Amino acid sequence: MKKGFVLLALIFCAGLLFAGGQKTTAGEVEVLHWWTSGGEAASVAVLKELLEAEGHRWKDFAVAGGGGDQAMTVLRSRAVAGNPPTAAQVKGPQIQDWAEEGLLTNLDDVAKAENWDNLIPKVIADIMKYQGHYVAVPVNVHRINWMWVNPTVFEKAGADIPKTWAEAEVAAKKIKAAGMIPVAWTGQPWAEITVFETIVAGVGGTDFYKKTMVQANPADINSPTMVKCLETLKRMKQYTDPGAPGRDWNLATAMVIRGEAGMQFMGDWAKGEFIAAGKKPDVDYIAVAAPETSKQFLFNVDSFIMFEVKDKAAKEAQKAMARLILEPKFQEVFNVNKGSIPVRMGMPETPFDIPARLSMKDFVASAKSGDLVPSMAHEMATSRAIRGAFMDTVAAFYNSDMSAQDAAAQMAKAVQSAK
Ligand code: BGC
């Protein structure tokens, strides 16, 4: 009898879940994303749990590949075949492209009920809207321009943590001489432009970054400053190891974690790997702004779009997912694990670690000083085609003996024809 009652109660709870005071029907969301590393998987699991706790089902569609290029190719082919997932991780201007195709669900009712306009910074809300309507929900704010340091490696080599690219070379030489790998490198095009845009911001300055990486102005791209940036990128190559080509970013982070390499230049999703490995900031690793970029904040915002579906239960599940993403619980647990900072304003700092607090402080300061800039490499600044032009030229330059002058000229030309 008792068992029967418990079962009945469970069925009742699963069927009649209340979200924001409204009755919901259990549905399924198929979620396409590229969070497959240890830290990323642990972070996204939180969303799955929260959704399932409301009775909905999470169908995971993870496509491995840092930066999401593979995931975007798969998403495009599924959409073309008329079979898109119900939710997908998509960023920046691409959100507009998907909305323009008329494939996305309008999320205005969730946004209104949850007061999104007052919870997320306007610059970010604008990216989530198409013609004034919410078609995407933001998850977090990642900072690109970080350097991840293993202090033991630096100590053994007698090297100082660099503040400039020239100092980075001095440190790298010492680490190399001490028999360790100076720079943990990911030889994949998206990761190379991640370091490249960080150098452009540092060496060229914020205005130059905006003229080139955001406005994609050919005259500024084909310039002595760009030549200097490209040369700086290429000089780092001698401090990487033969295993760099093709290496995944999280495996490069693991080299820093294990003390095989001294430093990595990568966005703060790398912190998720240190956390997953049980490492403590300022003890086991040090996170500082990448050389010459301490005042700048190159940002990217992970977000989800929802595809239009007919099934009522699936629609409810999509809306629950959108709502949960901006609720304080998810914002805290996810971002603490992921390495990013909450996109929801007014969240308490207490649960966050030293690098996250630095990020929060620098986000506000850079917004005031005009040094908060969208990441080109992570698809926040330009069209896919222009990003592709940058990516192809940087890869061709980095992997050949092409001169920096020729690369700058080629880059300007490629960007021009991608416009
Ligand atoms: C995303 C991060 C992700 C990283 C590595 C970035 O573009 O914003 O969420 O962890 O790529 O795949």
Side-chain angles (χ1 to χ4, degrees), residues 232-284:
T232 306
L233 175 76
K234 194 65 169 280
R235 270 204 306 279
M236 296 319 289
K237 192 172 179 179
Q238 57 190 306
Y239 307 112
T240 64
D241 68 317
R247 176 187 287 132
D248 287 333
W249 67 270
N250 53 319
L251 301 183
T253 311
M255 291 165 68
V256 178
I257 294 177
R258 289 196 300 263
E260 292 164 18
M263 55 191 141
Q264 182 187 19
F265 306 105
M266 188 51 66
D268 44 19
W269 46 90
K271 200 183 78 185
E273 301 307 296
F274 287 95
I275 294 171
K279 302 295 177 191
K280 298 272 167 289
D282 283 4
V283 179
D284 306 308

Side-chain angles (χ1 to χ4, degrees), residues 25-28 56 309-319:
T25 327
E28 182 180 272
H56 298 296
V309 285
K310 285 205 180 75
D311 182 54
K312 249 183 117 190
K315 246 189 195 344
E316 296 243 12
Q318 282 180 322
K319 290 192 175 160

Side-chain angles (χ1 to χ4, degrees), residues 34-35 40 65-68 89 91 140 142 190 249 269 300 302 338 378:
W34 66 89
W35 288 329
E40 291 174 329
Q89 186 189 351
K91 290 186 293 192
N140 59 359
H142 268 305
W190 72 273
W249 67 270
W269 46 90
N300 74 335
D302 286 312
K338 184 71 169 61
H378 294 271

Side-chain angles (χ1 to χ4, degrees), residues 4-333:
F5 175 75
V6 173
L7 196 68
L8 204 72
L10 281 176
I11 293 168
F12 181 78
C13 288
L16 290 177
L17 277 157
F18 288 83
Q22 278 175 349
K23 198 169 106 181
T24 64
T25 327
E28 182 180 272
V29 200
E30 187 188 15
V31 188
L32 183 146
H33 62 91
W34 66 89
W35 288 329
T36 55
S37 77
E40 291 174 329
S43 309
V44 71
V46 176
L47 188 55
K48 178 176 186 248
E49 277 161 27
L50 288 171
L51 195 72
E52 286 176 349
E54 296 200 352
H56 298 296
R57 290 182 306 280
W58 173 285
K59 190 173 172 198
D60 205 51
F61 195 88
V63 182
D69 288 303
Q70 283 92 316
M72 290 306 96
T73 307
V74 173
L75 178 61
R76 178 60 54 199
S77 65
R78 281 196 54 176
V80 167
N83 175 35
T86 34
Q89 186 189 351
V90 164
K91 290 186 293 192
Q94 276 190 82
I95 294 172
Q96 309 299 312
D97 299 343
W98 285 105
E100 214 170 286
E101 290 184 35
L103 295 171
L104 303 188
T105 299
N106 181 319
L107 297 170
D108 280 349
D109 49 352
V110 191
K112 205 161 168 230
E114 300 295 316
N115 205 10
W116 286 2
D117 274 343
N118 292 313
L119 291 181
I120 44 185
K122 190 177 178 303
V123 266
I124 295 176
D126 288 346
I127 303 171
M128 305 298 134
K129 289 178 185 175
Y130 176 68
Q131 297 180 341
H133 303 287
Y134 276 100
V135 291
V137 51
V139 176
N140 59 359
V141 179
H142 268 305
R143 187 184 194 177
I144 311 298
N145 51 312
W146 283 104
M147 177 170 65
W148 307 92
V149 167
N150 183 311
T152 313
V153 172
F154 270 66
E155 230 167 81
K156 276 191 201 155
D160 295 323
I161 297 180
K163 287 202 167 63
T164 64
W165 288 102
E167 287 175 12
E169 275 205 66
V170 173
K173 281 199 175 87
K174 289 186 178 169
I175 297 170
K176 199 170 179 178
M180 293 168 289
I181 301 163
V183 181
W185 194 260
T186 295
Q188 296 175 6
W190 72 273
E192 284 163 2
I193 50 168
T194 298
V195 184
F196 167 71
E197 70 174 10
T198 299
I199 293 175
V200 169
V203 173
T206 302
D207 280 347
F208 182 73
Y209 181 94
K210 287 180 185 164
K211 284 181 190 149
T212 54
M213 302 292 102
V214 183
Q215 292 150 19
N217 187 350
D220 291 293
I221 293 171
N222 191 8
S223 68
T225 309
M226 186 57 86
V227 169
K228 206 171 151 201
C229 296
L230 287 162
E231 282 169 352
T232 306
L233 175 76
K234 194 65 169 280
R235 270 204 306 279
M236 296 319 289
K237 192 172 179 179
Q238 57 190 306
Y239 307 112
T240 64
D241 68 317
R247 176 187 287 132
D248 287 333
W249 67 270
N250 53 319
L251 301 183
T253 311
M255 291 165 68
V256 178
I257 294 177
R258 289 196 300 263
E260 292 164 18
M263 55 191 141
Q264 182 187 19
F265 306 105
M266 188 51 66
D268 44 19
W269 46 90
K271 200 183 78 185
E273 301 307 296
F274 287 95
I275 294 171
K279 302 295 177 191
K280 298 272 167 289
D282 283 4
V283 179
D284 306 308
Y285 70 98
I286 298 174
V288 288
E292 302 174 34
T293 66
S294 63
K295 293 203 167 50
Q296 292 156 320
F297 196 119
L298 274 59
F299 73 92
N300 74 335
V301 172
D302 286 312
S303 43
F304 282 96
I305 54 174
M306 310 276 167
F307 285 87
E308 193 58 49
V309 285
K310 285 205 180 75
D311 182 54
K312 249 183 117 190
K315 246 189 195 344
E316 296 243 12
Q318 282 180 322
K319 290 192 175 160
M321 179 173 157
R323 171 177 48 78
L324 285 166
I325 285 174
L326 277 168
E327 280 184 359
K329 187 161 183 202
F330 173 75
Q331 285 289 309
E332 179 186 318
V333 186

